[in-house]
Structure formats: structure tokens, C-alpha cells
Amino acid sequence: MSTTFLEARPVDSDWIGWLKCKLAPTRLREVRTAIFVAGVVLCVIISMALQVPELALSAYMVFFFSQKTKNLTTIAGLVGLIGLTISIGATLLLYKFTYGHPELRIPVIAIAVFLGMWLSRVLVIGVLGFVVGFVVAYSQSIAEQVPSPELIVRGALWLWVALAYSIGLTVVLNRLFLPASAEAQGHKPRPKSLWKPDAFTNPAHVQFALKVTFSAMFCYLLYTGIDWTGIHTAFITCIFIALESTEATLYKGMLRILGCVIGGAFALFSIIFLVPHMETIASLIVLVATVSAIAAWVATGSERISYAGFQIAFAFFLSMFQGYAPDTDLDKIRDRVVGILIGIAVTTVIFHYVWPERARPTPASPVTQPQ
């Protein structure tokens, strides 16, 4: 993936022609875009009707776990459910010792980030380690915002429900409607071990995990110290944009900025001009389906632009879905965008000056790191 991002820039100045080429329609792209839109719409209907919290995360899981083939989507979904269950169980256990004790919670967050990012590099199914590390670290990072242990336990269990049903829905939709022809194109040999060949001999894996941990913890301590929890997306950004090489991480950060700006602009326009006139869930579904289609079309393209599509969806969902009623609070959009920009800046500096790692070709694995 690092090499792909490194080679992502057009080789000449014809940006318009390059972009048209990357956005050109194909049959597979049309089907995958329809699957993405259907999944997001169903998440909105289910979560709104049953009042399942964390709708933004439920909707984004449709993008996060959809792969190019049925088998890869199924593998990613099963691994994600296993990782989610393990991480929620570990979180509830850790809350017994860390809730109300920041001197214990901060080291736990750092250890969870380090282990999650290290495992994402050394495991063939790296998404398992990534999910466990991220969910544990993030759930610990928001503990001080919850006023009672009962509420934090309920929140963790509802988080499992919100993510699990969305992952299951994504797998079902892809298995039902994704063309079989995509399966043959995406066929790869099965790995013989859970660990990559250089898992315990290559110091770059540990260095990579340490760089991500430094970035994420700096952002966490920053927004906690200045009491601006609204920019907690800085913490998430440091973890989600990290790739093996410095060039790949920086290019991914650029795509994240672009996608965030577009998604945030869609949300800002919607909240100011459209949401105040919405009276039924039908109008919300039309709006969400339209933006999801745009984001999905970009996300189902080549890896040279696809990450921008994921960020359009991510920024739009986080800004739009704040409850079960229309939300016109523009401060949330501002805070999330500021947090993303801070996370990108911190990651850029650390990856550029601390153990810079240059891109090198590596064999692909079935499910390594999430998009």
C-alpha cells in the first residue's frame, strides 16, 4: 500500500485529465457504489428507528469494511467482529482499574496504541491488531468525559451493538450483490503463517509503532491539557493516516485533508440550508444517500484517490449524525476539522524527522491494514 500511495501523484501537470481517468465509470465501481449507499441508508433507518447510538460510526463501517471481493469482505468482517469483541471485553476489564485514575489510564492508552500499530505491521491479518488496539485506546481516551461507571459500561456495550450490526450488514450486502467476476480478479495466495516473515527481526516495525504512539499521545495530552475535547479527532487522525513509509503517510494525510474539507463543506451546507427544512426521515435519507454516493464513487476508485472518498464520508457522518434529531451546531464541525489538521501536522513532523522510512515494494497480503 505504501508504494501505491508513493506512486499516486500524476507524473505530469495534467491534473484534470488524471482526475477524469481516476473517476471514470466501470461496472464494478457502479455496483460497489450502490452497495455503499444501500448500506449507509439501511444504517440510518435502523439506528434512527431503534435509537441505536453512534450512527456516524455505524455508517462509516460500511465504507471501512467493504473490500473489493466477497471473500475479502467476509474475512475483514469476521476479523473485525472478533477484534471488536475482544477489545470491548478488554476495555470493560481495564475500566475497573483505570476509571477515575488518569495516572493508570494514560499508560494504558499508550500501550494499546503501540501494540495495535505493531500488530498491524507484523500480522498477516493486521486489521485484527489494529481494531483491538484502536478501540481499547480510544475508549480509554474518552473515559474522563463520562460522569459515571454505569454510563461508561452501557456506552461500551452499545458501541459493540452499533459496530457489530453494521459490519454484519456490510458483509451480507457484499455477498449478495458484489459480482463474482471481482472475486477472480482479487484472488491471492493464502499465507502460510499468521506472522510476516520479518515480524520479529525488522526493527522498523517497532519504530513505526513508537512513532504513531508519540503522535497520538502528544495530541491526546494537548487537547486534554487545554480542555478542548472537541478536537479529539487529532488522536484518531494520527492512528488512521499512519502508513509504513514517510512518503505514503504524508500523501495519505493530503488525501485526508482534501476529503475532510469536502465532507465538512457538504455537512456545513446541509446544516445551514437543508437540515432546518427537514421534517421526516425520508428527506434525511435522500441527503445522506446523495453525499454517500459521491464519497463511495471516489472510495471505489484506485488507491491513488480512494482514501479521499473515505474521508468525505467520515467527515460528513461525524458532522451530521449527532443524535436522533436535526443538529445545527456548527462548532462541532469546526472542532473536528481543527483536530484533523492538528493530527496531520503532528504526524507529518514526527514521521519526517524520527526514523524516516522510505518506501519499498512489499508483497501484498489478503487483509493487512484498514483503509
Side-chain angles (χ1 to χ4, degrees):
M1 183 179 291
S2 299
T3 306
T4 303
F5 274 109
L6 176 61
E7 298 172 349
R9 292 157 291 189
V11 295
D12 52 38
S13 59
D14 186 15
W15 284 89
I16 297 178
W18 178 83
L19 190 59
K20 287 182 178 179
C21 178
K22 297 305 171 186
L23 295 177
T26 64
R27 176 58 181 167
L28 179 60
R29 191 174 204 169
E30 292 170 354
V31 173
R32 292 193 67 207
T33 297
I35 292 173
F36 279 47
V37 173
V40 172
V41 168
L42 287 174
C43 284
V44 172
I45 295 174
I46 293 171
S47 292
M48 287 290 186
L50 302 179
Q51 293 196 351
V52 179
E54 304 295 348
L55 172 55
L57 292 179
S58 297
Y60 186 64
M61 288 303 102
V62 177
F63 281 74
F64 191 85
F65 281 97
S66 291
Q67 305 292 318
K68 294 181 179 179
T69 70
K70 296 179 180 181
N71 286 342
L72 290 184
T73 301
T74 303
I75 293 172
L78 291 176
V79 170
L81 286 173
I82 293 172
L84 176 64
T85 303
I86 293 173
S87 58
I88 293 296
T91 294
L92 294 177
L93 178 62
L94 288 170
Y95 277 148
K96 295 179 60 177
F97 307 99
T98 62
Y99 185 76
H101 298 281
E103 70 279 5
L104 297 178
R105 186 173 63 250
I106 292 176
V108 166
I109 297 173
I111 292 172
V113 173
F114 174 83
L115 289 178
M117 300 312 296
W118 180 74
L119 289 173
S120 74
R121 290 255 310 211
V122 300
L123 287 177
V124 172
I125 309 179
V127 68
L128 177 62
F130 180 90
V131 169
V132 173
F134 172 73
V135 173
V136 171
Y138 181 68
S139 59
Q140 292 291 321
S141 71
I142 61 174
E144 69 272 8
Q145 304 174 32
V146 183
S148 71
E150 179 185 358
L151 291 178
I152 204 168
V153 171
R154 291 182 60 186
L157 295 177
W158 272 115
L159 177 63
W160 186 93
V161 173
L163 299 184
Y165 96 78
S166 178
I167 295 172
L169 179 64
T170 301
V171 171
V172 170
L173 288 174
N174 278 271
R175 293 205 67 86
L176 287 176
F177 300 109
L178 195 62
S181 59
E183 203 67 32
Q185 297 172 5
H187 177 71
K188 296 175 183 177
R190 293 183 179 181
K192 298 179 180 180
S193 172
L194 289 176
W195 304 95
K196 293 184 178 179
D198 63 346
F200 303 102
T201 58
N202 189 352
H205 299 322
V206 174
Q207 293 170 355
F208 169 78
L210 285 174
K211 287 188 290 186
V212 180
T213 304
F214 292 156
S215 304
M217 293 309 297
F218 177 85
C219 291
Y220 172 75
L221 295 175
L222 174 66
Y223 69 71
T224 302
I226 63 177
D227 194 24
W228 192 4
T229 57
I231 62 171
H232 67 277
T233 47
F235 180 85
I236 302 173
T237 299
C238 293
I239 297 174
F240 270 79
I241 73 168
L243 287 175
E244 293 185 1
S245 76
T246 302
E247 295 93 339
T249 298
L250 299 185
Y251 185 79
K252 193 177 180 183
M254 184 185 71
L255 291 179
R256 187 178 179 93
I257 293 177
L258 180 62
C260 173
V261 170
I262 295 174
F266 283 148
L268 183 64
F269 177 84
S270 301
I271 290 176
I272 293 176
F273 297 106
L274 302 180
V275 171
H277 304 288
M278 291 182 179
E279 298 180 354
T280 66
I281 192 175
S283 55
L284 176 63
I285 288 175
V286 172
L287 170 63
V288 171
T290 302
V291 177
S292 297
I294 297 172
W297 191 265
V298 178
T300 53
S302 73
E303 290 188 351
R304 300 184 176 191
I305 64 168
S306 62
Y307 193 70
F310 284 86
Q311 294 315 304
I312 293 173
F314 186 71
F316 180 76
F317 295 155
L318 276 181
S319 302
M320 282 293 297
F321 300 137
Q322 301 297 332
Y324 308 112
D327 191 345
T328 57
D329 188 358
L330 299 182
D331 290 344
K332 294 176 182 177
I333 299 179
R334 177 205 62 194
D335 291 351
R336 281 161 173 75
V337 172
V338 170
I340 290 172
L341 295 177
I342 290 175
I344 293 172
V346 172
T347 303
T348 299
V349 172
I350 291 181
F351 270 70
H352 184 71
Y353 291 105
V354 181
W355 296 313
E357 186 178 2
R358 299 308 168 192
R360 53 185 173 83
T362 54
S365 57
V367 183
T368 53
Q369 193 172 346
Q371 299 179 7

